[in-house]
Amino acid sequence: MTRHTGTYASPTTLGESVRAFVPHPLPPSEPALMPEVYADPNRRAELALARLEGVSGLVPSVDWLLYGAIRKEALLTSQIEGTQATLIDLFDEEAGFKVSNIDDVEEVTNYLRAFRWVQEQLRDPKGLPMSVRLLCDAHRLLMDGVRGAGKQPGELRRSQNWIGGTRPGNAAFVPPPPDHVAALLADMERFIHVGGTEFPPLVRVALIHAQFETIHPFLDGNGRIGRLLIAALFEQWRLLHEPLMYLSGYLKQHQSEYYRRLSNIRSGGDWESWVTFFLDAVAVAAGDAERNVIAVASLVAADRKRLLQSAKAGPASYRLFEMLPMMPRFTIERVRQQLETSFPTATAAVKALEDLGIVTEVTGQKKNRSYSYQPYVDLLSR
């Protein structure tokens, strides 16, 4: 039996009539999504998240891990949409270095701002709850001053959009007409707060992400906000105490399959394949993040040991070393500011780390020199 997951409307857009898909409210029905479909993949995903949570205690500060993980997610979710920025571009921009593709970097930093803001709202008892309004405000931050800034940032679309193709008539997918969007999102919000409790939280996240992408409520930025919604739901339901996982890495690696599984929900009612794909993505991404945590902890521990055994190292170089996981690219002036010390003391601290091969000078210049904690940067860039 084929499941019908929506109906079609026939709006006229740019002078031609199109078939716009209007999804049924969650959860899937006729037939319902059965536990035997998702029980094993869900168990594997939950176990992988528990292991990731467990290894996060290997480092003295979870902020070190968050610094890299959040930036990787911001970068990868933006790369899915065609952004060309790299992790080094992001680190360089934060260090105040000159970056060539600054427009792409701004898109990534906007995602970081939007994510942090959503997290703050959800953690603040007086903040906005998980809601359409929260997503609209995140969208405003995401689109601020970048490509798509002219496409109603922070507002639900008032015109028909489409995915793929050169015009609505030859599009791969036409989302619901604009006059359906608010009601569809209200249904989705209800499902977040009171519906779907018969499903494990990870399965609910999978259903909600697919529903959001099908509604496609904004004129631009739907993919990134939809993936930010995943992170927000992880926060809402405490699936991870800190956002240490970068799920977009798996989704980018399997991008065509990601889109195909979402498309098969609309065309053939195949929720089952999408949910198992999503749960597999969580399990793999959590495993990747776990290995990354162990590698970061091992690298930092080995470098710290060498530093502590060095006769030339002093208190300033120890303090600088502890800052490196959150300041992997830097100038001596930035070190001076961070350590709140003199230029000669900052220079000596950097020199102690450079002599040990922990940091490397990257410009080859005599003046205005820049440094990198390169093994750490390479590890995060893998």
Short mmCIF file of all heavy atoms in Angstrom, two decimals, residues 268-312:
data_model
loop_
_atom_site.label_atom_id
_atom_site.label_comp_id
_atom_site.label_asym_id
_atom_site.label_seq_id
_atom_site.Cartn_x
_atom_site.Cartn_y
_atom_site.Cartn_z
N GLY A 268 6.45 9.22 -3.01
CA GLY A 268 5.96 7.86 -2.78
C GLY A 268 5.56 7.55 -1.36
O GLY A 268 5.28 6.40 -1.02
N GLY A 269 5.56 8.56 -0.50
CA GLY A 269 5.15 8.35 0.89
C GLY A 269 6.16 7.55 1.70
O GLY A 269 5.81 6.97 2.73
N ASP A 270 7.43 7.53 1.24
CA ASP A 270 8.43 6.67 1.89
C ASP A 270 9.10 7.38 3.07
O ASP A 270 10.24 7.83 2.98
CB ASP A 270 9.47 6.22 0.86
CG ASP A 270 10.42 5.17 1.42
OD1 ASP A 270 10.25 4.79 2.59
OD2 ASP A 270 11.35 4.77 0.69
N TRP A 271 8.38 7.44 4.18
CA TRP A 271 8.95 8.01 5.40
C TRP A 271 10.00 7.07 6.01
O TRP A 271 10.96 7.51 6.65
CB TRP A 271 7.85 8.25 6.44
CG TRP A 271 7.10 9.53 6.26
CD1 TRP A 271 5.85 9.69 5.72
CD2 TRP A 271 7.53 10.84 6.65
NE1 TRP A 271 5.48 11.03 5.75
CE2 TRP A 271 6.49 11.75 6.32
CE3 TRP A 271 8.70 11.34 7.25
CZ2 TRP A 271 6.59 13.12 6.56
CZ3 TRP A 271 8.79 12.70 7.49
CH2 TRP A 271 7.75 13.58 7.15
N GLU A 272 9.80 5.77 5.83
CA GLU A 272 10.66 4.78 6.48
C GLU A 272 12.12 4.94 6.06
O GLU A 272 13.02 4.96 6.92
CB GLU A 272 10.18 3.36 6.15
CG GLU A 272 8.92 2.93 6.88
CD GLU A 272 7.62 3.55 6.33
OE1 GLU A 272 7.67 4.23 5.28
OE2 GLU A 272 6.56 3.34 6.96
N SER A 273 12.37 5.07 4.75
CA SER A 273 13.76 5.19 4.27
C SER A 273 14.41 6.47 4.76
O SER A 273 15.60 6.49 5.08
CB SER A 273 13.80 5.16 2.74
OG SER A 273 13.43 3.89 2.27
N TRP A 274 13.63 7.56 4.81
CA TRP A 274 14.18 8.82 5.31
C TRP A 274 14.56 8.70 6.78
O TRP A 274 15.66 9.11 7.18
CB TRP A 274 13.19 9.97 5.11
CG TRP A 274 13.50 11.12 6.04
CD1 TRP A 274 12.79 11.53 7.13
CD2 TRP A 274 14.67 11.95 6.00
NE1 TRP A 274 13.43 12.56 7.77
CE2 TRP A 274 14.58 12.85 7.10
CE3 TRP A 274 15.78 12.04 5.16
CZ2 TRP A 274 15.56 13.82 7.37
CZ3 TRP A 274 16.76 12.99 5.42
CH2 TRP A 274 16.65 13.87 6.50
N VAL A 275 13.68 8.14 7.59
CA VAL A 275 13.95 8.05 9.04
C VAL A 275 15.18 7.19 9.31
O VAL A 275 16.05 7.56 10.11
CB VAL A 275 12.71 7.51 9.80
CG1 VAL A 275 13.05 7.15 11.24
CG2 VAL A 275 11.60 8.57 9.78
N THR A 276 15.31 6.05 8.63
CA THR A 276 16.48 5.20 8.85
C THR A 276 17.75 5.90 8.35
O THR A 276 18.81 5.79 9.00
CB THR A 276 16.32 3.82 8.18
OG1 THR A 276 15.98 4.00 6.81
CG2 THR A 276 15.25 3.00 8.86
N PHE A 277 17.67 6.61 7.23
CA PHE A 277 18.82 7.39 6.73
C PHE A 277 19.25 8.42 7.78
O PHE A 277 20.44 8.56 8.08
CB PHE A 277 18.45 8.09 5.42
CG PHE A 277 19.49 9.08 4.94
CD1 PHE A 277 20.62 8.66 4.26
CD2 PHE A 277 19.34 10.44 5.19
CE1 PHE A 277 21.59 9.57 3.84
CE2 PHE A 277 20.29 11.36 4.77
CZ PHE A 277 21.42 10.92 4.08
N PHE A 278 18.29 9.12 8.34
CA PHE A 278 18.59 10.16 9.33
C PHE A 278 19.25 9.55 10.58
O PHE A 278 20.24 10.07 11.10
CB PHE A 278 17.32 10.92 9.71
CG PHE A 278 17.55 12.02 10.72
CD1 PHE A 278 17.98 13.27 10.31
CD2 PHE A 278 17.37 11.79 12.08
CE1 PHE A 278 18.21 14.28 11.24
CE2 PHE A 278 17.60 12.79 13.01
CZ PHE A 278 18.03 14.04 12.59
N LEU A 279 18.69 8.44 11.06
CA LEU A 279 19.25 7.80 12.26
C LEU A 279 20.66 7.27 11.99
O LEU A 279 21.54 7.38 12.86
CB LEU A 279 18.33 6.67 12.72
CG LEU A 279 16.95 7.11 13.23
CD1 LEU A 279 16.04 5.90 13.44
CD2 LEU A 279 17.05 7.94 14.51
N ASP A 280 20.88 6.73 10.80
CA ASP A 280 22.24 6.30 10.43
C ASP A 280 23.18 7.50 10.41
O ASP A 280 24.33 7.41 10.84
CB ASP A 280 22.24 5.62 9.05
CG ASP A 280 21.58 4.25 9.07
OD1 ASP A 280 21.38 3.70 10.18
OD2 ASP A 280 21.25 3.73 7.98
N ALA A 281 22.70 8.63 9.89
CA ALA A 281 23.51 9.85 9.84
C ALA A 281 23.93 10.28 11.24
O ALA A 281 25.09 10.64 11.48
CB ALA A 281 22.73 10.97 9.15
N VAL A 282 22.99 10.24 12.18
CA VAL A 282 23.30 10.62 13.57
C VAL A 282 24.35 9.67 14.15
O VAL A 282 25.33 10.11 14.79
CB VAL A 282 22.03 10.63 14.44
CG1 VAL A 282 22.37 10.79 15.92
CG2 VAL A 282 21.08 11.74 14.00
N ALA A 283 24.18 8.37 13.94
CA ALA A 283 25.12 7.38 14.49
C ALA A 283 26.53 7.60 13.94
O ALA A 283 27.51 7.60 14.69
CB ALA A 283 24.64 5.96 14.18
N VAL A 284 26.63 7.82 12.63
CA VAL A 284 27.96 8.01 12.01
C VAL A 284 28.56 9.34 12.45
O VAL A 284 29.74 9.42 12.81
CB VAL A 284 27.85 7.94 10.47
CG1 VAL A 284 29.16 8.35 9.81
CG2 VAL A 284 27.45 6.54 10.02
N ALA A 285 27.76 10.40 12.44
CA ALA A 285 28.26 11.73 12.82
C ALA A 285 28.72 11.76 14.27
O ALA A 285 29.75 12.35 14.61
CB ALA A 285 27.20 12.80 12.58
N ALA A 286 27.96 11.11 15.15
CA ALA A 286 28.36 11.05 16.56
C ALA A 286 29.66 10.25 16.72
O ALA A 286 30.53 10.64 17.51
CB ALA A 286 27.24 10.43 17.40
N GLY A 287 29.80 9.17 15.96
CA GLY A 287 31.04 8.38 16.00
C GLY A 287 32.23 9.19 15.50
O GLY A 287 33.32 9.15 16.10
N ASP A 288 32.03 9.95 14.41
CA ASP A 288 33.10 10.83 13.90
C ASP A 288 33.50 11.86 14.94
O ASP A 288 34.68 12.13 15.16
CB ASP A 288 32.64 11.55 12.62
CG ASP A 288 32.56 10.62 11.42
OD1 ASP A 288 33.11 9.50 11.50
OD2 ASP A 288 31.94 11.01 10.41
N ALA A 289 32.50 12.46 15.58
CA ALA A 289 32.77 13.48 16.59
C ALA A 289 33.50 12.88 17.79
O ALA A 289 34.41 13.51 18.35
CB ALA A 289 31.47 14.15 17.03
N GLU A 290 33.11 11.66 18.17
CA GLU A 290 33.78 10.97 19.29
C GLU A 290 35.26 10.78 18.99
O GLU A 290 36.13 11.08 19.82
CB GLU A 290 33.10 9.62 19.54
CG GLU A 290 33.72 8.83 20.69
CD GLU A 290 33.30 7.36 20.69
OE1 GLU A 290 32.41 6.98 19.89
OE2 GLU A 290 33.89 6.60 21.48
N ARG A 291 35.57 10.28 17.77
CA ARG A 291 36.97 10.08 17.39
C ARG A 291 37.72 11.41 17.36
O ARG A 291 38.89 11.48 17.73
CB ARG A 291 37.05 9.37 16.03
CG ARG A 291 36.72 7.89 16.12
CD ARG A 291 36.91 7.19 14.80
NE ARG A 291 35.87 7.54 13.84
CZ ARG A 291 34.66 6.98 13.81
NH1 ARG A 291 34.33 6.05 14.69
NH2 ARG A 291 33.78 7.35 12.90
N ASN A 292 37.04 12.46 16.93
CA ASN A 292 37.67 13.78 16.88
C ASN A 292 38.00 14.29 18.28
O ASN A 292 39.07 14.86 18.51
CB ASN A 292 36.73 14.76 16.15
CG ASN A 292 37.45 16.01 15.69
OD1 ASN A 292 37.40 17.03 16.36
ND2 ASN A 292 38.12 15.92 14.56
N VAL A 293 37.08 14.07 19.21
CA VAL A 293 37.31 14.48 20.61
C VAL A 293 38.56 13.77 21.15
O VAL A 293 39.43 14.38 21.77
CB VAL A 293 36.09 14.14 21.50
CG1 VAL A 293 36.44 14.29 22.98
CG2 VAL A 293 34.92 15.06 21.15
N ILE A 294 38.66 12.47 20.90
CA ILE A 294 39.80 11.69 21.39
C ILE A 294 41.11 12.19 20.76
O ILE A 294 42.13 12.34 21.44
CB ILE A 294 39.58 10.18 21.12
CG1 ILE A 294 38.41 9.66 21.96
CG2 ILE A 294 40.85 9.37 21.40
CD1 ILE A 294 37.89 8.29 21.55
N ALA A 295 41.06 12.48 19.45
CA ALA A 295 42.25 12.97 18.76
C ALA A 295 42.68 14.34 19.29
O ALA A 295 43.87 14.58 19.51
CB ALA A 295 41.98 13.05 17.25
N VAL A 296 41.71 15.24 19.51
CA VAL A 296 42.02 16.57 20.06
C VAL A 296 42.61 16.42 21.45
O VAL A 296 43.64 17.05 21.79
CB VAL A 296 40.76 17.47 20.09
CG1 VAL A 296 41.00 18.71 20.96
CG2 VAL A 296 40.37 17.91 18.68
N ALA A 297 41.98 15.60 22.28
CA ALA A 297 42.46 15.41 23.66
C ALA A 297 43.89 14.85 23.66
O ALA A 297 44.74 15.29 24.44
CB ALA A 297 41.52 14.46 24.41
N SER A 298 44.18 13.90 22.77
CA SER A 298 45.52 13.29 22.70
C SER A 298 46.56 14.31 22.24
O SER A 298 47.65 14.39 22.82
CB SER A 298 45.51 12.10 21.73
OG SER A 298 44.56 11.15 22.13
N LEU A 299 46.22 15.07 21.20
CA LEU A 299 47.15 16.09 20.68
C LEU A 299 47.48 17.13 21.75
O LEU A 299 48.65 17.43 22.01
CB LEU A 299 46.54 16.77 19.45
CG LEU A 299 47.32 17.98 18.91
CD1 LEU A 299 48.63 17.54 18.27
CD2 LEU A 299 46.47 18.78 17.91
N VAL A 300 46.45 17.67 22.37
CA VAL A 300 46.65 18.74 23.37
C VAL A 300 47.43 18.20 24.57
O VAL A 300 48.33 18.88 25.08
CB VAL A 300 45.29 19.34 23.79
CG1 VAL A 300 45.45 20.28 24.97
CG2 VAL A 300 44.63 20.08 22.61
N ALA A 301 47.12 16.98 25.00
CA ALA A 301 47.82 16.41 26.15
C ALA A 301 49.31 16.21 25.84
O ALA A 301 50.17 16.51 26.68
CB ALA A 301 47.17 15.08 26.54
N ALA A 302 49.62 15.70 24.64
CA ALA A 302 51.02 15.47 24.26
C ALA A 302 51.78 16.79 24.16
O ALA A 302 52.92 16.90 24.63
CB ALA A 302 51.07 14.72 22.93
N ASP A 303 51.15 17.80 23.55
CA ASP A 303 51.82 19.10 23.41
C ASP A 303 51.99 19.79 24.77
O ASP A 303 53.00 20.44 25.03
CB ASP A 303 51.03 20.00 22.45
CG ASP A 303 51.20 19.58 21.00
OD1 ASP A 303 52.13 18.80 20.73
OD2 ASP A 303 50.40 20.03 20.15
N ARG A 304 51.00 19.64 25.64
CA ARG A 304 51.11 20.24 26.98
C ARG A 304 52.27 19.60 27.74
O ARG A 304 53.03 20.28 28.43
CB ARG A 304 49.81 20.06 27.76
CG ARG A 304 49.86 20.77 29.13
CD ARG A 304 48.69 20.47 30.02
NE ARG A 304 47.46 21.10 29.55
CZ ARG A 304 46.46 20.44 28.99
NH1 ARG A 304 46.52 19.13 28.84
NH2 ARG A 304 45.37 21.08 28.60
N LYS A 305 52.41 18.29 27.62
CA LYS A 305 53.49 17.58 28.31
C LYS A 305 54.85 18.11 27.85
O LYS A 305 55.74 18.36 28.67
CB LYS A 305 53.37 16.08 28.03
CG LYS A 305 54.35 15.22 28.81
CD LYS A 305 54.14 13.74 28.50
CE LYS A 305 55.19 12.90 29.23
NZ LYS A 305 55.07 11.47 28.85
N ARG A 306 55.02 18.28 26.53
CA ARG A 306 56.29 18.81 26.01
C ARG A 306 56.55 20.21 26.54
O ARG A 306 57.69 20.55 26.88
CB ARG A 306 56.24 18.86 24.47
CG ARG A 306 56.45 17.50 23.83
CD ARG A 306 56.80 17.62 22.37
NE ARG A 306 55.72 18.19 21.59
CZ ARG A 306 55.89 19.00 20.54
NH1 ARG A 306 57.10 19.38 20.18
NH2 ARG A 306 54.85 19.45 19.87
N LEU A 307 55.50 21.01 26.60
CA LEU A 307 55.65 22.39 27.08
C LEU A 307 56.07 22.42 28.54
O LEU A 307 56.97 23.16 28.93
CB LEU A 307 54.32 23.14 26.88
CG LEU A 307 54.30 24.62 27.29
CD1 LEU A 307 55.27 25.44 26.44
CD2 LEU A 307 52.89 25.19 27.17
N LEU A 308 55.43 21.59 29.35
CA LEU A 308 55.73 21.57 30.79
C LEU A 308 57.15 21.05 31.06
O LEU A 308 57.75 21.37 32.09
CB LEU A 308 54.70 20.72 31.53
CG LEU A 308 53.27 21.30 31.58
CD1 LEU A 308 52.30 20.28 32.17
CD2 LEU A 308 53.22 22.60 32.37
N GLN A 309 57.67 20.24 30.14
CA GLN A 309 59.03 19.70 30.32
C GLN A 309 60.11 20.65 29.80
O GLN A 309 61.30 20.40 30.00
CB GLN A 309 59.15 18.35 29.60
CG GLN A 309 58.38 17.22 30.28
CD GLN A 309 58.32 15.96 29.44
OE1 GLN A 309 58.60 15.98 28.24
NE2 GLN A 309 57.95 14.84 30.07
N SER A 310 59.68 21.73 29.13
CA SER A 310 60.64 22.66 28.54
C SER A 310 61.17 23.65 29.59
O SER A 310 60.39 24.26 30.32
CB SER A 310 59.99 23.44 27.39
OG SER A 310 60.79 24.53 27.01
N ALA A 311 62.48 23.81 29.60
CA ALA A 311 63.10 24.74 30.56
C ALA A 311 62.83 26.20 30.17
O ALA A 311 62.87 27.10 31.02
CB ALA A 311 64.60 24.49 30.62
N LYS A 312 62.57 26.44 28.88
CA LYS A 312 62.39 27.81 28.39
C LYS A 312 60.97 28.34 28.61
O LYS A 312 60.73 29.54 28.52
CB LYS A 312 62.71 27.88 26.89
CG LYS A 312 64.17 27.61 26.56
CD LYS A 312 64.37 27.70 25.05
CE LYS A 312 65.82 27.37 24.68
NZ LYS A 312 66.01 27.38 23.21
#
